[in-house]
Amino acid sequence: MRKIFTLTLLALLALPVIADEGMWIPMLLGKNEAAMQKAGMRITAKDIYDINNACLKDAIILFNQGCTGEYVSAEGLFLTNHHCGYSYITSHSTVEHDYLTNGFWAMTREQELPCPGLTATRLVRMEDVTDQVLEGITPETAESDRTLIIDKNIAKITEHATKGTHYKAIIKPFYYGNQYFMYVNEVFTDVRLVGAPPSNIGKFGGDTDNWMWPRHTGDFSMFRVYADSDNKPAPYSKFNQPYKPLKHLEISLQGVKEGDFTFVFGYPGTTRRYVTSDQMELSANKENPVRIALRDIRLRHYKNAMEQSPAQRLKYASKVASIANGWKKWQGETLGIKRLQGVEQKRFQEIAFQEWADRYKNLRIRDYDYSTVLADLHKNYQQLTPIDLEWTYFSEAVMASDFMTRAHNLYNIYNLCINGKEEEAQAAITKFIQSNDKYFADFDQHTVVDKAIFVETFMYMFKNGFASYYHMSEAQMEQGLNKIYDNSMLNQKGAVEKFFKQYKAKDAAKLLKDPGVEFFSTVYVNIYTAEKRAQYKEANQNINRLMRIYVKGMMTQYPDSNFFPDANLTLRVAYGKVAGFHPADAVYYKPYSTLEGIMQKENPDIYDYVVTPRLHELYNKKDYGRYANEKGEMPVAFIATNHTTGGNSGSPVLNADGRLIGINFDRCWEGTMSDLLFDPDYCRNISLDIRYCLFIIDKYAGATHLVNEMTIVK
């Protein structure tokens, strides 16, 4: 009976798309409109995306190249996550003006802080350009020729689309290159920091709570886009004016309850919904364990250093946040894949596909023989996997320390010189020397941390399959690593400047005499051999080509199914409902959290769980204003079944009427395998309740003038 039940379950999971799964293309949302309205949506697909009229898509921006933001005023004010704005908040912070710790609120436009390099991108329109991109391509076209033809076609199409405008265009593949869409964008470069809560609110719970539920993090920050007098993008200037968006979001104070329809509108980064069992096996059982173990080492050393002083905490805060994010996500992903029998599930799908393909083998459906594609994919994964694993070790172990990053920089300078690129080499040298002052600030403390990471991560790699590269014992290797670190000019202030003061391109070989650069070069050359690069490139190209055929085959196998394309940092809509879940036996998580939970988690001895006096004061008085729910509670966050991933950070969460009710910022740990497998029983996106966001801006910070800019609907 158990076996029959398992096979039945896997059969159901083998269907192309299940409830609440999917990241849908806005331009094609008409195909989903009936299902969305049946689920509770009260607006139309054209309210979300319409190139002829202002619509919700005009209120959504790509924040830099990895998060989402949303306009909430007619004056270019927008919201995103605190962790998305983290590096910009940090860049403006000093020990004297520690905005990261204490928060920042611009009380006037003049106090808003410029953020050089930060961009805000609005989608103007999108277009299916598949036929134009694939012009000249036939099933017989070699993969290398196919790439050249496509690149040439894309250059021609984007040039024509943007000629005579200030717009920029990109074309991205979907379904592994079976379809192509062009995105015409407007990119703003004058973006200024307006507000951010203190870390004890914006990052409450820290890495411990990251990816977890219940969550009590006020994960938001505020920026403003500025434009020229014609409301067009322009470089920073004191004469620029707040941008007037075509659309900004109305904000609802109604809140959420279990079963409410919601949708997320943003820029999800990467999913791999259609990969085979080989890739699932590689991710869950090979890559992830290596990444997790090596990041364990780095995090332990950095966190120990952060406990030594406020300056050390500020120094490593952004680095730790970046490292820990993937570290914890991969743990949840691996557990989720194992719980769902992900590898077995994929194999079951492949059995069904193979049976279908064999049945129609003689028909050569649409010029492809689908019956051999899975065997060919498996063969190429066998070639790719050992190389991929070596390169994973390199990125997570060899490149773990700042020491090796700097050695890599000098190795690159060496290569530029020996290849006659003297101008580029000189620019790289200048940049490297300029970075020295910043690197050597507080170096005495940092060298202890960095050296420990350099030695321990490489020793882990040495003990796990790489000892054969070196003819020495573990003790000899560890001793050698310590000497390399101590004797390198990279760790001696002034030595680099002195070296380059007399340096000429013809002296490039001298760079390799430095112990650190020599060590990096040796490891790099052993791991990234020409033979391995060729094998990896060949396998990767074959896998991309075969996946294009495999996905096309699945779409042919299930002609009545609405397949969504994998996320690729393009604008998408995901929809679902507010819902709690059972993470374990006899445990139920309700779908929202409150300020009461913050007080329950409070621990003055742990930095991530410190509650500020001002928040205590408001809590004790129950001074929540109009932001309390009907029970008089102060809501903080909620969860729903929307399908999200990295890049969706900062995305608006909208209700059935298209009004802002939350800001997406995370997923539940139990469902982080959703990039590969979606399980509606466990996959939950975590969102900041917009009422808590407004409460912090208004009641906590006293920045009521910012709330007054917004359009709030009760």
Side-chain angles (χ1 to χ4, degrees):
M1 179 64 73
R2 179 178 176 81
K3 183 176 180 181
I4 294 173
F5 173 78
T6 302
L7 289 175
T8 303
L9 174 62
L10 289 176
L12 290 171
L13 290 173
L15 295 175
V17 177
I18 55 181
D20 297 327
E21 181 184 14
M23 300 172 179
W24 306 99
I25 299 173
M27 189 180 82
L28 304 179
L29 209 57
K31 294 180 180 179
N32 301 78
E33 185 179 68
M36 293 175 75
Q37 290 178 340
K38 183 178 180 180
M41 186 175 75
R42 291 188 287 268
I43 59 176
T44 67
K46 280 204 165 187
D47 292 322
I48 297 172
Y49 179 90
D50 188 344
I51 61 169
N52 298 313
N53 300 285
C55 58
L56 290 177
K57 68 98 174 161
D58 295 309
I60 315 302
I61 57 173
L62 175 63
F63 181 84
N64 230 19
Q65 292 299 316
C67 284
T68 304
E70 54 275 357
Y71 289 116
V72 290
S73 90
E75 295 292 313
L77 185 69
F78 72 87
L79 293 167
T80 188
N81 285 154
H82 184 270
H83 74 260
C84 293
Y86 200 83
S87 62
Y88 296 98
I89 302 166
T90 303
S91 69
H92 287 293
S93 297
T94 63
V95 174
E96 293 78 20
H97 300 286
D98 190 351
Y99 300 137
L100 189 65
T101 299
N102 303 319
F104 169 79
W105 307 98
M107 294 303 177
T108 65
R109 299 281 168 85
E110 291 71 28
Q111 292 178 357
E112 295 175 358
L113 301 174
C115 298
L118 177 56
T119 58
T121 302
R122 178 185 74 91
L123 173 64
V124 177
R125 64 180 176 85
M126 61 181 297
E127 180 183 345
D128 186 338
V129 291
T130 306
D131 291 342
Q132 299 99 300
V133 170
L134 296 181
E135 185 177 349
I137 302 290
T138 69
E140 288 73 34
T141 303
E143 196 69 11
S144 57
D145 293 336
R146 187 180 194 273
T147 300
L148 291 174
I149 294 170
I150 286 174
D151 288 346
K152 184 178 179 180
N153 289 344
I154 285 175
K156 181 180 177 180
I157 298 164
T158 54
E159 181 183 7
H160 177 74
T162 58
K163 189 174 182 179
T165 74
H166 66 280
Y167 298 141
K168 298 180 180 181
I170 58 170
I171 294 176
K172 291 199 174 185
F174 291 77
Y175 307 108
Y176 290 87
N178 283 299
Q179 195 169 11
Y180 288 82
F181 282 89
M182 177 171 66
Y183 292 78
V184 178
N185 296 315
E186 189 173 37
V187 183
F188 293 86
T189 55
D190 186 355
V191 184
R192 308 180 193 182
L193 176 63
V194 175
S199 285
N200 291 133
I201 291 174
K203 204 173 181 294
F204 183 82
D207 296 325
T208 304
D209 279 9
N210 191 25
W211 299 104
M212 305 302 286
W213 184 258
R215 200 68 174 275
H216 300 88
T217 310
D219 196 348
F220 77 94
S221 56
M222 308 179 73
F223 293 80
R224 193 185 304 276
V225 171
Y226 280 76
D228 65 16
S229 57
D230 294 323
N231 206 39
K232 291 181 179 178
Y236 171 81
S237 169
K238 64 179 181 179
F239 300 109
N240 284 347
Q241 302 169 2
Y243 169 65
K244 294 178 171 31
L246 293 173
K247 179 82 172 179
H248 69 275
L249 299 179
E250 294 181 341
I251 298 173
S252 171
L253 296 183
Q254 287 185 341
V256 298
K257 64 181 184 299
E258 186 113 19
D260 280 355
F261 174 86
T262 64
F263 68 100
V264 175
F265 202 3
Y267 286 85
T270 303
T271 58
R272 296 178 292 170
R273 170 65 172 83
Y274 305 107
V275 297
T276 64
S277 58
D278 292 296
Q279 179 62 62
M280 192 78 74
E281 170 77 20
L282 176 59
S283 295
N285 299 329
K286 292 183 172 65
E287 290 177 335
N288 286 1
V290 171
R291 290 167 171 165
I292 293 163
L294 285 163
R295 292 197 177 199
D296 272 336
I297 295 169
R298 296 163 71 187
L299 288 170
R300 172 165 40 84
H301 287 293
Y302 284 136
K303 287 181 177 180
N304 286 341
M306 290 173 73
E307 292 175 0
Q308 303 305 311
S309 70
Q312 290 286 89
R313 181 190 58 75
L314 194 60
K315 180 183 182 71
Y316 293 119
S318 183
K319 190 185 289 283
V320 165
S322 176
I323 295 168
N325 195 52
W327 167 77
K328 197 165 189 177
K329 185 254 188 182
W330 292 321
Q331 292 178 65
E333 179 180 87
T334 301
L335 288 173
I337 289 171
K338 290 180 178 178
R339 185 186 66 245
L340 287 176
Q341 301 176 29
V343 176
E344 293 81 1
Q345 182 188 142
K346 286 292 182 179
R347 286 174 181 157
F348 187 84
Q349 292 174 5
E350 290 157 17
I351 290 170
F353 180 88
Q354 191 67 51
E355 289 177 351
W356 169 83
D358 288 341
R359 193 180 314 131
Y360 293 100
K361 182 176 181 178
N362 296 328
L363 297 181
R364 287 185 59 81
I365 303 169
R366 298 184 184 178
D367 299 315
Y368 293 112
D369 179 359
Y370 295 118
S371 65
T372 63
V373 69
L374 286 170
D376 289 342
L377 276 165
H378 180 66
K379 178 182 176 182
N380 280 279
Y381 268 107
Q382 285 182 313
Q383 177 175 316
L384 177 116
T385 295
I387 304 171
D388 178 271
L389 196 56
E390 281 197 12
W391 291 1
T392 299
Y393 269 107
F394 184 87
S395 63
E396 295 291 342
V398 179
M399 298 306 296
S401 64
D402 289 342
F403 177 48
M404 282 292 95
T405 299
R406 286 162 58 78
H408 187 192
N409 289 337
L410 293 192
Y411 182 69
N412 285 340
I413 291 170
Y414 161 79
N415 278 308
L416 289 171
C417 290
I418 64 172
N419 286 301
K421 299 180 179 180
E422 294 185 22
E423 197 171 312
E424 291 179 46
Q426 189 55 54
I429 290 168
T430 301
K431 183 178 180 181
F432 188 83
I433 292 173
Q434 289 172 346
S435 70
N436 256 16
D437 286 341
K438 183 177 180 181
Y439 179 75
F440 280 105
D442 197 26
F443 185 74
D444 288 344
Q445 290 91 336
H446 179 61
T447 188
V448 175
V449 178
D450 196 55
K451 181 179 179 181
I453 289 172
F454 166 66
V455 173
E456 192 172 344
T457 53
F458 192 83
M459 286 305 300
Y460 182 92
M461 177 175 165
F462 181 82
K463 295 172 185 177
N464 285 275
F466 289 83
S468 59
Y469 284 97
Y470 307 92
H471 303 292
M472 60 181 72
S473 66
E474 290 183 15
Q476 289 172 324
M477 173 55 76
E478 188 166 355
Q479 185 180 21
L481 292 171
N482 279 284
K483 285 183 178 180
I484 288 168
Y485 196 96
D486 292 338
N487 294 330
S488 173
M489 70 175 175
L490 289 164
N491 299 315
Q492 302 170 36
K493 187 170 174 59
V496 172
E497 290 90 336
K498 182 179 179 181
F499 176 85
F500 280 116
K501 191 173 183 180
Q502 305 172 16
Y503 178 80
K504 292 185 176 10
K506 66 180 182 179
D507 301 325
K510 292 180 180 179
L511 282 167
L512 294 186
K513 292 183 179 180
D514 178 83
V517 182
E518 181 186 27
F519 177 77
F520 174 86
S521 172
T522 301
V523 179
Y524 184 82
V525 169
N526 279 337
I527 291 181
Y528 286 89
T529 65
E531 182 183 8
K532 289 176 185 175
R533 288 175 185 273
Q535 290 175 348
Y536 188 87
K537 182 179 179 181
E538 178 187 44
N540 230 2
Q541 286 181 339
N542 286 338
I543 288 169
N544 289 336
R545 173 180 58 83
L546 292 164
M547 283 301 297
R548 186 168 65 247
I549 298 170
Y550 179 48
V551 170
K552 193 167 188 175
M554 284 194 289
M555 295 171 81
T556 307
Q557 181 186 12
Y558 298 101
D560 297 326
S561 294
N562 189 11
F563 284 73
F564 72 92
D566 273 323
N568 57 0
L569 206 64
T570 56
L571 193 59
R572 305 290 184 91
V573 172
Y575 59 92
K577 61 183 179 181
V578 176
F581 73 108
H582 294 274
D585 182 47
V587 178
Y588 177 74
Y589 285 150
K590 70 179 185 179
Y592 74 95
S593 64
T594 68
L595 185 55
E596 184 72 31
I598 292 177
M599 299 306 163
Q600 292 171 358
K601 286 182 176 179
E602 180 183 16
N603 187 333
D605 296 326
I606 301 176
Y607 179 80
D608 288 335
Y609 292 103
V610 172
V611 178
T612 66
R614 175 60 178 159
L615 193 58
H616 254 301
E617 178 186 356
L618 292 168
Y619 169 75
N620 291 334
K621 293 180 179 179
K622 299 297 183 284
D623 186 7
Y624 306 147
R626 56 178 171 166
Y627 309 116
N629 64 17
E630 66 279 0
K631 297 179 181 179
E633 302 165 320
M634 184 64 251
V636 174
F638 63 91
I639 53 175
T641 61
N642 302 296
H643 191 181
T644 62
T645 188
N648 275 126
S649 291
S651 295
V653 184
L654 305 160
N655 66 10
D657 299 307
R659 290 172 177 151
L660 184 64
I661 54 173
I663 307 171
N664 184 80
F665 69 90
D666 208 351
R667 284 175 285 168
C668 291
W669 190 63
E670 294 85 355
T672 52
M673 73 290 174
S674 61
D675 289 348
L676 295 158
L677 294 168
F678 189 88
D679 179 0
D681 291 334
Y682 288 91
C683 292
R684 298 290 183 272
N685 67 303
I686 306 175
S687 304
L688 174 68
D689 194 304
I690 197 63
R691 292 171 294 181
Y692 186 61
C693 173
L694 297 177
F695 164 74
I696 295 299
I697 297 169
D698 187 0
K699 304 291 289 184
Y700 180 93
T704 309
H705 62 290
L706 297 174
V707 177
N708 291 341
E709 280 191 46
M710 305 175 193
T711 303
I712 297 177
V713 179
K714 293 184 179 180

